[in-house]
Amino acid sequence: MAAKPSIPKGTRDFSPVEMAKRNYIFNTIRDVYHLYGFQQIETPSMEMLSTLMGKYGDEGDKLLFKIQNSGDYFSGITDEELLSRNAAKLASKFCEKGLRYDLTVPFARYVVMHRDEITFPFKRYQIQPVWRADRPQKGRYREFYQCDADVVGSDSLLNEVELMQIVDTVFSRFNIRVCIKINNRKILSGIAEIIGESDKIVDITVAIDKLDKIGLDNVNAELKEKGISDEAIAKLQPIILLSGTNAEKLATLKNVLSASEVGLKGVEESEFILNTLETMGLKNEIELDLTLARGLNYYTGAIFEVKALDVQIGSITGGGRYDNLTGVFGMAGVSGVGISFGADRIFDVLNQLELYPKEAVNGTELLFINFGEKEAAYSMGILSKVRAANIRAEIFPDAAKMKKQMSYANAKNIPFVAIVGENEMNEGKVMLKNMETGEQNLVSADELIAIVKK
């Protein structure tokens, strides 16, 4: 007996109903992006490893899926190198390409390659899958979709404001209650400066970013492990645990960071974003959260993260300002800011809260029962009119038993069934059955269209 097939851990198959739900998510996000003037691009699933490596920090580099070279990948490798069993070194010789880890780095590469065709500021969005060699767990997958929007070629903080409006609009349309968390890498740099650990800014941000997951004691233990002094860790505590309103936090930070120019700049940027959004009437809460660090090395200014309030799950959207990303590809001085919606986590949240609208997940609206050649030919004429009226309709392809055809309608949750026999054809009408109520009515094609559309 053949072994039962399987799929890699951290990946999923999606049924027709699940695909309808995913398309609802993508279409909702796409519609909001269009409202704000963003245009769609796509980039290849695989990039050169030279494009990807070194852009996500050491932890990110370890999570890159590398693609083995085709052909004789042993050529040019000595026996000594093979016997050394140095996986990282051998991988660098066996693999020139990798699956993209996110959509931002490929986007930066795209901007540099196509700079002569782009009008700046360039507002693009991308809805494509990404891959990470992560340990699969609830809400964390190895293959998942991101829905990114970025603006490059503008330093204006109005871009940050609009991106937060986009987040608020998308989650309002989904009816998901969220908290939008905001921080600034300049504030974090200022904090590192005043505690005397400027050179450890990456270690500090990576550790702080884990506060929600591993708790304060473990964050402090990780900071100590990275060589940060007990005195610096002690100074850090009241800052990362700062509470109060956004205005109170900003006022405290102005005092705490008074000796740090970069820190004060971060406070000023955060104040502008928060004050401007206050006048925009957001439907969701926005919070200045100093524990938000977003562990990716390329962020340089405002950083964002979105948490669902009614479901226990990780971040469902994130992003931030990156001033230096295109510089690594030889194009300096292009600032960018972006957000990424985690479509797979949003899918899980909408499922748990049962928030999908009926019309978004329903497929076929009307099924014509097939009693034979003459009846099918009559039904096909009406079917054309029905589809022209934008009603999703089908005819059962075989003249099977009525019970089988009705079971098909039930299995697909089709709300209406059209029954055409000799009597109906003689009268030029159709017997329309409402599958929910069981009610049946003899109707004309136009009446049928009006009932189903209603």
Side-chain angles (χ1 to χ4, degrees):
M1 185 178 161
K4 191 178 177 184
S6 63
I7 58 173
K9 282 183 181 176
T11 65
R12 294 176 289 174
D13 287 325
F14 291 95
S15 68
V17 170
E18 288 167 328
M19 281 309 302
K21 290 178 176 180
R22 282 163 72 80
N23 286 332
Y24 165 67
I25 293 168
F26 297 146
N27 292 338
T28 302
I29 293 168
R30 188 181 286 113
D31 287 348
V32 176
Y33 283 161
H34 286 162
L35 270 183
Y36 284 79
F38 286 78
Q39 297 175 293
Q40 187 171 17
I41 67 162
E42 287 199 351
T43 59
S45 299
M46 56 182 159
E47 295 276 348
M48 301 306 292
L49 275 177
S50 56
T51 298
L52 302 173
M53 294 291 283
K55 311 305 187 302
Y56 308 104
D58 290 342
E59 290 196 17
D61 281 354
K62 288 173 192 166
L63 299 180
L64 286 171
F65 273 112
K66 299 171 180 70
I67 298 170
Q68 189 174 283
N69 295 340
S70 54
D72 182 9
Y73 48 83
F74 284 110
S75 64
I77 297 175
T78 65
D79 289 348
E80 191 182 345
E81 284 173 322
L82 279 172
L83 291 169
S84 73
R85 302 175 72 85
N86 184 329
K89 195 173 179 184
L90 287 170
S92 70
K93 300 217 171 188
F94 286 166
C95 311
E96 291 173 356
K97 297 174 283 293
L99 294 177
R100 58 170 174 248
Y101 177 92
D102 72 353
L103 299 176
T104 309
V105 170
F107 171 54
R109 189 264 312 146
Y110 175 95
V111 170
V112 174
M113 283 185 68
H114 298 272
R115 66 181 97 182
D116 297 333
E117 308 151 33
I118 290 171
T119 302
F120 292 100
F122 181 41
K123 300 171 80 169
R124 87 79 170 88
Y125 76 88
Q126 247 174 296
I127 298 178
Q128 287 186 274
V130 299
W131 293 267
R132 295 182 187 177
D134 218 341
R135 186 169 64 84
Q137 52 189 285
K138 185 176 168 59
R140 189 182 290 273
Y141 306 100
R142 286 177 170 165
E143 178 187 60
F144 55 97
Y145 267 77
Q146 286 185 339
C147 308
D148 282 21
D150 289 78
V151 187
V152 293
S154 168
D155 297 321
S156 171
L157 292 171
L158 288 178
N159 296 313
E160 277 86 338
V161 170
E162 286 212 324
L163 288 171
M164 293 305 92
Q165 287 180 281
I166 285 172
V167 168
D168 184 64
T169 305
V170 165
F171 286 111
S172 297
R173 289 190 178 192
F174 285 142
N175 287 316
I176 296 174
R177 292 192 321 121
V178 298
C179 177
I180 303 167
K181 293 176 180 283
I182 178 172
N183 197 7
N184 196 297
R185 287 301 278 259
K186 294 185 180 81
I187 291 176
L188 294 168
S189 295
I191 291 168
E193 192 180 313
I194 63 152
I195 67 169
E197 297 283 2
S198 287
D199 59 327
K200 296 278 175 64
I201 178 62
V202 172
D203 291 332
I204 291 169
T205 54
V206 166
I208 288 176
D209 202 39
K210 296 175 184 171
L211 189 71
D212 272 1
K213 296 170 196 148
I214 65 174
L216 186 61
D217 290 344
N218 288 321
V219 166
N220 289 337
E222 187 170 318
L223 289 167
K224 193 166 185 176
E225 204 179 287
K226 296 290 184 184
I228 293 158
S229 70
D230 289 340
E231 187 188 352
I233 292 170
K235 282 183 185 173
L236 197 57
Q237 303 310 292
I239 301 169
I240 62 173
L241 296 174
L242 193 63
S243 60
T245 65
N246 292 335
E248 287 166 348
K249 289 176 187 174
L250 289 166
T252 304
L253 284 170
K254 282 177 188 173
N255 289 328
V256 171
L257 299 174
S258 59
S260 169
E261 191 181 332
V262 69
L264 287 177
K265 181 68 178 161
V267 173
E268 182 191 317
E269 289 178 5
S270 301
E271 193 165 36
F272 175 85
I273 295 165
L274 290 165
N275 288 349
T276 309
L277 285 169
E278 213 168 280
T279 67
M280 298 292 156
L282 295 191
K283 292 186 171 69
N284 290 285
E285 177 190 349
I286 185 156
E287 176 197 342
L288 178 66
D289 182 357
L290 296 186
T291 68
L292 173 61
R294 297 213 43 88
L296 299 180
N297 287 347
Y298 53 64
Y299 291 123
T300 53
I303 44 179
F304 322 107
E305 204 156 271
V306 178
K307 294 286 174 92
L309 295 178
D310 301 315
V311 169
Q312 283 286 81
I313 199 165
S315 161
I316 53 177
T317 298
R321 164 76 61 175
Y322 45 90
D323 285 336
N324 313 319
L325 198 60
T326 55
V328 299
F329 298 121
M331 187 179 176
V334 179
S335 184
V337 59
I339 51 170
S340 178
F341 288 94
D344 294 86
R345 286 188 177 181
I346 292 169
F347 178 91
D348 290 343
V349 171
L350 287 169
N351 264 345
Q352 283 186 55
L353 300 177
E354 297 181 349
L355 288 174
Y356 287 102
K358 239 182 189 177
E359 63 274 13
V361 295
N362 281 356
T364 302
E365 297 166 280
L366 173 66
L367 173 71
F368 279 80
I369 298 294
N370 186 342
F371 284 128
E373 207 173 300
K374 277 192 301 181
E375 292 88 346
Y378 176 88
S379 297
M380 290 295 282
I382 300 173
L383 250 178
S384 296
K385 280 183 91 170
V386 165
R387 287 173 179 151
N390 212 26
I391 291 170
R392 299 185 297 275
E394 58 181 292
I395 184 168
F396 199 84
D398 307 302
K401 286 183 180 175
M402 178 83 157
K403 186 181 177 184
K404 182 177 180 180
Q405 298 188 51
M406 294 302 267
S407 296
Y408 176 84
N410 283 323
K412 288 188 74 174
N413 288 317
I414 298 172
F416 290 98
V417 165
I419 300 163
V420 174
E422 202 169 316
N423 293 340
E424 286 78 17
M425 288 194 293
N426 289 338
E427 291 194 45
K429 293 194 174 181
V430 168
M431 185 65 74
L432 184 67
K433 178 170 183 172
N434 182 319
M435 294 295 281
E436 202 173 312
T437 64
E439 188 184 347
Q440 294 190 172
N441 289 298
L442 193 65
V443 295
S444 67
D446 290 339
E447 287 169 334
L448 178 149
I449 288 166
I451 292 167
V452 174
K453 279 185 94 71
K454 192 177 171 186

